């Protein structure tokens, strides 16, 4: 299995980070992809990657919730410096979040578009954070259409129409703990989405799947997400694991 979206460097793991990673490895999680947030955690993320070569892979980007009027331009310069300095597996997580703050929409869009340009220039996938912002996110992606523009709609929680729109734009869906929630709704249509358009994720330490909902999430729980897909797609665990793993390796250029 591959956890395509996990904040292993989060301070919520400071007490037991290596034990937590070992639990995931013991469960069969082979690789971990780390989305960036902002300059406060870049070094911590990259240090952790160095400790687990061939297991942990860093992205680089500015999270939409960190796009703030007083600092976003400086933060983007830091992202660009990192992208010029060394290779990354993706530009992310980037996008639009209108749940926490609608007042920054204009600069969120500017930051999103700039980072899309950098990804296309470097032929990297993007990992999109979209919360209460599908319409705005799709508008940006339609404007920025390019043969090299591809990636993941992380923590996908939209409807079937939005899922198909994302796929039509050359994106795949990151499926995590929400698929196990009774009110998550995506389990009601997910079997209409081809399995080759799905990757597994946890978004740990957030959004733990049932039966750990409300508690700290960790990468070992990606097994519970895969288990839910077994029920939805009516395929055995090994096939869910194989197909979603192949999808992730192909997207991140590790195949």
């Amino acid at each position: 299995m591959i956890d395509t979206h996990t904040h292993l460097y989060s301070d919520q793991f400071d007490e037991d980070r290596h034990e937590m990673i070992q639990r995931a490895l013991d469960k069969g999680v082979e690789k971990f992809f780390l989305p960036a947030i902002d300059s406060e955690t870049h070094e911590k993320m990259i240090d952790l990657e160095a400790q687990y070569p061939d297991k942990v892979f860093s992205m680089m980007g500015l999270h939409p919730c960190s796009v703030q009027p007083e600092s976003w331009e400086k933060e983007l310069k830091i992202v660009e410096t990192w992208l010029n300095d060394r290779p990354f597996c993706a530009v992310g997580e980037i996008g639009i979040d209108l749940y926490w703050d609608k007042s920054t929409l204009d600069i969120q869009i500017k930051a999103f578009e700039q980072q899309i340009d950098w990804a296309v220039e470097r032929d990297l996938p993007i990992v999109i954070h979209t919360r209460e912002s599908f319409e705005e996110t799709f508008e940006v992606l339609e404007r920025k259409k390019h043969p090299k523009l591809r990636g993941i709609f992380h923590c996908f929680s939209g409807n079937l129409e939005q899922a198909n729109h994302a796929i039509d734009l050359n994106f795949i869906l990151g499926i995590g703990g929400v698929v196990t929630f009774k009110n998550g709704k995506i389990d009601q249509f997910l079997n209409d989405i081809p399995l080759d358009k799905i990757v597994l994720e946890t978004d740990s330490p957030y959004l733990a799947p049932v039966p750990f909902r409300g508690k700290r999430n960790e990468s070992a729980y990606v097994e519970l997400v895969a288990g839910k897909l077994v029920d939805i797609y009516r395929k055995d665990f090994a096939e869910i694991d194989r197909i979603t793993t192949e999808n992730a390796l192909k997207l991140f250029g590790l195949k």
Side-chain angles (χ1 to χ4, degrees), residues 18-142:
H18 299 290
E19 294 86 346
M20 180 270 297
I21 292 171
Q22 189 59 51
R23 282 194 291 274
L25 294 169
D26 291 344
K27 284 286 187 182
V29 183
E30 296 173 349
K31 288 179 169 50
F32 310 81
F33 290 85
L34 276 49
I37 299 291
D38 56 37
S39 61
E40 288 190 12
T41 51
H42 293 338
E43 298 279 359
K44 199 171 177 183
M45 175 180 72
I46 287 161
D47 286 348
L48 185 61
E49 180 191 52
Q51 293 174 54
Y52 291 89
D54 304 322
K55 299 280 185 200
V56 170
F57 301 85
S58 294
M59 308 177 201
M60 180 49 60
L62 181 62
H63 191 292
C65 292
S66 293
V67 176
Q68 296 299 322
E70 68 282 356
S71 61
W72 72 280
E73 291 171 300
K74 181 183 173 189
E75 284 285 343
L76 279 184
K77 283 190 172 70
I78 293 168
V79 169
E80 185 179 26
T81 299
W82 274 112
L83 287 169
N84 289 336
D85 191 49
R86 48 149 286 170
F88 288 91
C89 66
V91 175
E93 66 186 279
I94 65 175
I96 301 173
D97 189 308
L98 298 180
Y99 175 80
W100 292 108
D101 190 353
K102 294 181 175 64
S103 72
T104 58
L105 175 60
D106 58 334
I107 56 175
Q108 285 192 51
I109 289 172
K110 288 176 183 176
F112 189 22
E113 291 185 334
Q114 177 63 79
Q115 292 178 97
I116 288 172
D117 289 344
W118 289 335
V120 168
E121 286 165 14
R122 292 161 175 79
D123 197 14
L124 290 172
I126 65 172
V127 173
I128 297 177
H129 172 108
T130 177
R131 192 167 185 192
E132 296 189 4
S133 62
F134 274 105
E135 186 179 331
E136 294 82 359
T137 299
F138 285 138
E139 284 175 5
V140 170
L141 295 176
E142 293 283 1

Side-chain angles (χ1 to χ4, degrees), residues 164 167 173 190-198 233 243 247:
N164 283 323
I167 289 166
L173 310 182
L190 204 57
N191 62 347
D192 290 331
I193 302 297
L195 198 49
D196 67 354
K197 302 299 182 185
I198 300 286
Y233 283 96
I243 295 171
N247 297 344

